[in-house]
Amino acid sequence: MSYSRMASGLLHARRGPGFVLAALSLGALLALGSCALPEIAGSRDTAKALNGSTDVAPTPIYMGEQNVLTLVDGNNANLLCAQQTTLAQSATLQTLSFYVTTAAGSLRLGVFDASGPSGRPGVKVAETNEITPVVGWNTASVVTPTLLAAGTYWLTYLPSSNALHFRRAGSGSVAYYSYTYRPMPQTFSTSPQTVADHWSFYATLLPVSAANAPSVATAAAVNPNPVNTTTATVSVLGADSAGEATLSYTWSATGPAPVSFSPNASNAAKTSVATFTASGNYVLQATITDPQGLTVASTVAVTVNPVRSSISVSPATAAVSASGTQQFAVAAAD
C-alpha cells in the first residue's frame, strides 16, 4: 500500500499490487460505534476504577472504532480531524482512546456535537488534556465527565507532529481543517474538508443509572443551631465517582418565611450562609447533583429564636394628675 498527502494535508490510500482493502460500510461502522463491542483488555478494570467501585461495575458503553484497523496514516500535524459516530443511549463520557503505531510529539483528543452545517462537527462538548503518545492504545480521561444524550457525535484528534502514525480504514465520514496545535476550539470550522475515512478511535462512557448517583459524605449541618441572629452557616459534602469537584450543591428551605442562601447552586455552595427573615422552625435541604443530572439530598432541622430588636411604649407621652394612674403598653419587636 502506498500513500499520498492531499494539498489539504490528509492522507488517502491508493490500492497497490498484492493488497486487498476490506472496508466496512458507513452504516456498519455507525452500528458498531453505537453498541457495546467486545471488551478490550483492561476495559472492565478501567470502568471499575472510574466508578469508584471494586465490586460489580456498570457495563461500559462505547462509541467509535475499537478495532485496530489495517491502514497506516500520519503526516497530519496541525490538522483538527473528526470522525462521525453515534451514541444509542444517554451516557456519561469518561475517556477517549486513540491507537498509535509510531509515537511522536503530542496529541489532544476531544468530542464535538453534530450542530455544524449539514450535521458536521459543531460545539466542543469534551476534551482531554495533552497526551504524550505511546505505541498502542492511548487512553485519557476527559477533563470533565460529560453527560451525552443519544445522537450523533464527532470524535476529534489533533496531533503536533507529522511523525505520529496511527491506523485508519478508508471508509466512514471525516471532517478536518488546518488548526495550529493547541487546546481545541469551542466550535469547529463551518467549512471543513470532508472525506470517507475513520481511525482506530473510540470513547468509553458509563450508563446513566442509580448506581452512578452521588452520595452524601457529610450530612447537612447548621452552625449555630439554634440560631439567635438572622444568619447561620450551612454545610454539606457529597461524593461521586467523577470527583467531588464535579458536584453542584443547591439549598432550599421550608418553614414560616423565605430563606436565602449565598452562594447557591454551585460547587462552592457546599458551605453557604443562610439568611432568615423570621423566627420559627425550619427544615433546610441540600440537593447534590452530579454531571449526569443524578441527585441525592440531605436535610437538617433548625430553630431560629426570636431576637428582640426594639421596644416601644404606648402612649409615648402622658400627663398624669397627682394620685392619678396611667396604663402603658410595652411591645417588643423581633
Side-chain angles (χ1 to χ4, degrees), residues 23-26 29-30 32 64-67 69 71 73 82-84 98 157 166-174 195-201:
L24 294 172
S25 69
L26 176 58
L29 290 168
L30 295 180
L32 287 172
E65 179 61 80
Q66 286 186 281
N67 295 309
L69 300 171
L71 305 179
D73 198 357
Q83 71 184 45
Q84 188 181 54
F98 190 84
Y157 73 92
F166 31 90
R167 294 295 181 90
R168 67 182 186 86
S171 61
S173 182
V174 161
V195 69
D197 213 342
H198 77 285
W199 300 273
S200 296
F201 186 11

Side-chain angles (χ1 to χ4, degrees), residues 11-53:
L11 290 175
H12 288 265
R14 298 196 301 268
R15 187 181 303 278
F19 290 87
V20 177
L21 174 62
L24 294 172
S25 69
L26 176 58
L29 290 168
L30 295 180
L32 287 172
S34 62
C35 64
L37 299 177
E39 293 182 354
I40 62 171
S43 63
R44 184 169 296 278
D45 291 340
T46 300
K48 288 183 180 181
L50 290 170
N51 195 47
S53 171

